Amino acid sequence: MKALLDHARSLKRRVDFESGEYRKLAEGQWPEALFITCSDSRVIPALITGARPGEVFELQNAGNIVPPYGQPGASGEAATIEYALEVLGVQDIVVCGHSHCGAMSAIRSGDDLSRLPGVDAWLDLARPRLAPVLEGTPTGPSLSDVVQLNVVNQLAALRSYPSARQRLDEDRLRLHGWYYEVDTGQVHELAEDGLFRVHAA
């Protein structure tokens, strides 16, 4: 923690806040995309995308889960999606899963999460749409297959939001599915045929 505190305390010395770039940030934000990914500490949206401050609106939670539209109760995820679309007018949303994902590994393995009731309840949002694949083969799918299917499922959940659906129908919104390998840095992109592929830089 000391290193983190030291960096925070020295931020003003390390960054030129007098520059035009940072002065403009005080006027508001105009991010290009909403980036939905896992809260795993190894997944850093700005590192993956090279985004500068103000370029990406971020939403991170365990398993990069998008609750279906209309879930009862308040939801930070629903609020973030709504704000990104209705106020910020983002035209691209990325759902990015990743290798070595603890949330998807727990679902795949059927781990007993009774000691983590909050985590267990949260993962219940993703379990039903993963169940057919998990129960479909004797050995079960690989973790990467589960993570990638979860990305596809969360893109489908995004489409249940009226503001997203309307923008998709009007060609004012694009959805992207990514799978990030934390040990190689490779980003696999979901293609129209439903497969994730690495694209040449």
Side-chain angles (χ1 to χ4, degrees):
M1 188 64 197
K2 183 180 184 309
L4 298 178
L5 282 170
D6 288 345
H7 275 84
R9 290 167 179 160
S10 67
L11 179 62
K12 187 158 174 45
R13 291 195 311 271
R14 293 183 287 112
V15 176
D16 180 14
F17 283 98
E18 298 303 316
S19 72
E21 175 186 7
Y22 284 92
R23 287 182 185 275
K24 187 175 180 184
L25 290 176
E27 299 169 9
Q29 58 172 325
W30 299 272
E32 297 177 24
L34 168 61
F35 196 91
I36 302 172
T37 193
C38 190
S39 50
D40 190 300
S41 62
R42 299 166 292 183
V43 181
I44 305 169
L47 178 67
I48 297 169
T49 63
R52 300 281 301 151
E55 291 181 344
V56 172
F57 200 55
E58 298 178 11
L59 170 57
Q60 293 186 254
N61 63 46
N64 43 269
I65 293 171
V66 175
Y69 180 75
Q71 281 285 119
S75 163
E77 287 74 22
T80 300
I81 292 164
E82 184 178 275
Y83 191 84
L85 292 171
E86 297 288 354
V87 178
L88 300 177
V90 299
Q91 295 183 344
D92 292 272
I93 301 179
V94 177
V95 176
C96 181
H98 68 97
S99 66
H100 308 89
C101 180
M104 292 302 109
S105 179
I107 291 177
R108 177 179 177 262
S109 304
D111 292 352
D112 177 8
L113 298 177
S114 55
R115 287 178 45 250
L116 302 168
V119 174
D120 195 34
W122 177 249
L123 295 183
D124 273 345
L125 294 173
R127 283 188 181 103
R129 298 195 67 183
L130 292 172
V133 173
L134 294 172
E135 299 161 359
T137 58
T139 57
S142 68
L143 178 57
S144 62
D145 287 341
V146 173
V147 172
Q148 291 173 13
L149 176 57
N150 183 58
V151 168
V152 171
N153 292 344
Q154 302 320 310
L155 290 169
L158 273 171
R159 292 185 186 96
S160 73
Y161 286 72
S163 53
R165 192 167 55 247
Q166 179 182 350
R167 284 165 173 75
L168 287 166
D169 290 345
E170 296 170 354
D171 291 324
R172 293 191 292 135
L173 178 66
R174 295 172 296 272
L175 302 182
H176 311 269
W178 291 5
Y179 172 72
Y180 170 66
E181 292 182 352
V182 299
D183 53 332
T184 68
Q186 284 192 318
V187 174
H188 304 245
E189 299 173 49
L190 179 62
E192 290 185 7
D193 61 7
L195 300 177
F196 284 79
R197 294 190 177 88
V198 177
H199 289 271

